[in-house]
Amino acid sequence: MDELSEHCDGNYAGYDDTDCLSTDSRGSMGFINHIREVHLIKTPNDDRMLMSVKIEGKTLTMEADSGSRYTLISANHFKSLQLPQTSISSTPVTLRSYTGHTFKPIGLARVNVQRANKKFTGDLYIVGFNTEPILGRQWLRELQIFPEPVQTISTSIPIPKNAHDAENALKEEFADIFKEDVGEVPNYKISLKFKEPVKPVFLKPRTVPFSLKPLVEAELNKLEAQGIITKTQFSEWGTPLVVIPKPNGDVRICADYKVTVNPQLMDSRYPIPIIDEIFSKMDGGKIFCTFDVHKAFLNLTVDKQSAAALALSTHLGTYQVNRLFFGIKVAPNEFQKFMDEMISDLPGVCAYFDDIVVKGQTLEECWANSRKLLERLRQFNLHLNPSKSKFFRQELTYLGHTISSRGLQKTRQKVEAILDAPKP
């Protein structure tokens, strides 16, 4: 257990040994390394629920915390148990404090646990700062101390009485999510798969219309400031820009990867959902919300080899692209794969690329499902376009169709040519 030595002195990031850790159970993605929310709060000593648990036959007093999914122990307390036969493995899990600081556990130990006549083998997360041992929900349930499922919606948050109040409550609670920022999904990288042999292609930059140059340069500078692109002095790859003017007077910068990278990429086999399947999952809903992920692809990081291959050739120089960029042929499949995994366990939620729909049979259910979605988006550092969000409607448009408690209908725009046709 020598690897614990450097972590056994002092506190972490200003937290002291009276801090109480609490992890949130949001999220379950098989291949994505989660960031788990960790709330560090002061708990009065006379208000704590302490109990003795045997770990590998050694008695340890722990604080029961039904708000924590995981059981945690400091490196100091773990060393005091003197368990030389217990191995410590690395863990991909990352913890994030209530204040936004992230840190990784030192390791994970699989240990034999006993209390009274209850025995099981459980995961024990070891952290590198001083805190009382925390007995989380997973262990509490195994010990049948709290046999009933823990409610995922805090009872301290009042349920809104009408759609207007529900919308305002979501916007207030998740104001950070409704801010148009480009996030970065933590601990998740996309690796583009190339056909062999790979032949780098560099094409000189295309001429940008003089009237659009200031807008293009401003957008490139913005992308660089956000860490989405990085200027490089040398690159074997270079793809010219495709500049698309937007109705609001801005520009969208894409890349013409069809002449450089796309022909050399292996196809992604991840299926894009059939729209009818999404609508079938909305069956039974009476209240609906829709949300749009801001700058969808740009939230996903690519690995170093992919970043080099996606380099942009511009009149300002060459930029390495650090995120999944517009124009990559596998980008839609990769983003859909990520979205499907992220929302897989959320009730009443479906996504078609960056367009998300939430249903509920009642306002309360739709509100609760929407809160769970927004909590998940916060966990993965994603943001929404507030102007494209629609809240708690009995009828709304999604993917060119109208959905309501009556079922699915074509929008008038889709059939107006037939409806407005003159009688023969």
Side-chain angles (χ1 to χ4, degrees):
M1 293 190 296
D2 291 340
E3 64 268 32
L4 297 182
S5 300
E6 61 181 296
H7 301 280
C8 292
D9 297 316
N11 302 322
Y12 180 85
Y15 307 138
D16 62 36
D17 57 7
T18 60
D19 289 329
C20 171
L21 286 164
S22 172
T23 60
D24 196 324
S25 62
R26 307 169 200 151
S28 177
M29 300 180 63
F31 65 95
I32 291 182
N33 301 339
H34 311 199
I35 281 193
R36 308 292 189 187
E37 299 295 331
V38 179
H39 298 165
L40 298 173
I41 59 174
K42 297 289 184 181
T43 302
N45 290 337
D46 58 359
D47 194 35
R48 294 182 299 166
M49 182 177 179
L50 303 177
M51 56 185 60
S52 295
V53 176
K54 286 188 176 181
I55 298 177
E56 299 292 344
K58 303 292 184 67
T59 301
L60 180 68
T61 300
M62 309 186 75
E63 180 179 353
D65 183 359
S66 62
S68 170
R69 181 179 182 182
Y70 299 102
T71 296
L72 303 102
I73 189 172
S74 71
N76 274 328
H77 281 99
F78 188 81
K79 284 193 72 175
S80 70
L81 292 176
Q82 298 181 352
L83 306 176
Q85 303 303 317
T86 301
S87 61
I88 302 172
S89 61
S90 61
T91 172
V93 170
T94 299
L95 304 178
R96 179 166 57 203
S97 74
Y98 185 74
T99 57
H101 299 287
T102 60
F103 57 94
K104 291 181 67 64
I106 300 168
L108 171 66
R110 291 281 292 173
V111 294
N112 295 313
V113 185
Q114 180 179 359
R115 186 173 188 270
N117 61 342
K118 302 298 181 184
K119 300 179 180 179
F120 68 96
T121 301
D123 292 335
L124 180 61
Y125 288 88
I126 306 167
V127 296
F129 54 92
N130 291 331
T131 182
E132 291 300 319
I134 299 298
L135 185 59
R137 286 200 303 272
Q138 290 180 339
W139 283 28
L140 290 171
R141 286 172 180 158
E142 291 285 352
L143 297 171
Q144 296 185 5
I145 297 172
F146 296 111
E148 296 301 322
V150 176
Q151 295 295 321
T152 58
I153 298 298
S154 172
T155 55
S156 64
I157 301 177
I159 298 176
K161 297 180 179 179
N162 55 61
H164 181 266
D165 290 347
E167 177 179 347
N168 289 337
L170 283 186
K171 288 180 176 179
E172 180 178 354
E173 182 181 1
F174 298 97
D176 56 320
I177 304 303
F178 289 103
K179 185 178 180 181
E180 293 185 351
D181 286 339
V182 179
E184 181 179 1
V185 174
N187 302 314
Y188 183 78
K189 289 186 184 295
I190 289 176
S191 179
L192 301 178
K193 307 302 180 185
F194 288 85
K195 303 172 185 176
E196 296 292 346
V198 181
K199 298 179 180 179
V201 177
F202 185 95
L203 298 179
K204 66 180 182 179
R206 294 173 183 165
T207 302
V208 177
F210 183 78
S211 61
L212 296 180
K213 267 192 175 182
L215 296 175
V216 171
E217 292 173 0
E219 185 66 16
L220 288 172
N221 291 335
K222 180 179 178 181
L223 293 173
E224 186 177 17
Q226 293 172 327
I228 295 171
I229 61 176
T230 304
K231 205 160 194 178
T232 180
Q233 298 300 317
F234 173 79
S235 177
E236 293 183 304
W237 294 88
T239 300
L241 298 180
V242 176
V243 181
I244 304 173
K246 298 169 72 173
N248 64 359
D250 293 333
V251 294
R252 170 177 292 180
I253 292 180
C254 301
D256 194 5
Y257 289 121
K258 70 177 183 291
V259 297
T260 55
V261 176
N262 283 348
Q264 303 192 60
L265 282 180
M266 298 176 65
D267 293 331
S268 173
R269 300 302 181 186
Y270 191 82
I272 302 301
I274 300 172
I275 293 179
D276 288 345
E277 293 178 353
I278 293 179
F279 288 130
S280 69
K281 294 178 181 179
M282 291 295 104
D283 188 39
K286 296 181 179 180
I287 305 294
F288 304 90
C289 294
T290 56
F291 303 101
D292 181 85
V293 178
H294 183 63
K295 301 289 186 182
F297 298 167
L298 296 184
N299 294 280
L300 299 183
T301 304
V302 297
D303 63 16
K304 290 184 178 180
Q305 179 185 1
S306 303
L310 298 182
L312 302 177
S313 173
T314 82
H315 67 284
L316 294 181
T318 304
Y319 293 86
Q320 175 180 290
V321 177
N322 306 314
R323 306 288 181 89
L324 190 64
F325 211 67
F326 305 109
I328 292 295
K329 72 174 184 178
V330 299
N333 306 74
E334 293 291 344
F335 188 77
Q336 185 67 48
K337 179 180 179 181
F338 166 75
M339 291 294 291
D340 287 347
E341 290 288 342
M342 184 184 70
I343 66 172
S344 61
D345 62 335
L346 297 181
V349 179
C350 290
Y352 187 78
F353 301 123
D354 55 351
D355 292 313
I356 306 174
V357 61
V358 182
K359 76 168 184 179
Q361 292 188 337
T362 63
L363 172 64
E364 291 80 7
E365 183 180 40
C366 188
W367 178 75
N369 291 345
S370 296
R371 283 195 72 246
K372 292 174 184 177
L373 168 67
L374 294 173
E375 287 172 346
R376 185 64 53 82
L377 294 175
R378 179 181 282 161
Q379 178 184 355
F380 287 95
N381 200 21
L382 295 174
H383 300 265
L384 298 173
N385 292 313
S387 61
K388 296 183 179 180
S389 300
K390 297 181 177 66
F391 299 89
F392 308 111
R393 307 280 183 88
Q394 296 183 10
E395 178 179 293
L396 52 70
T397 299
Y398 182 68
L399 302 180
H401 294 72
T402 299
I403 54 176
S404 68
S405 59
R406 300 187 303 275
L408 179 67
Q409 297 174 313
K410 297 281 187 181
T411 61
R412 177 175 175 81
Q413 289 84 352
K414 296 285 186 180
V415 297
E416 63 183 2
I418 299 175
L419 294 175
D420 297 339
K423 294 182 179 180

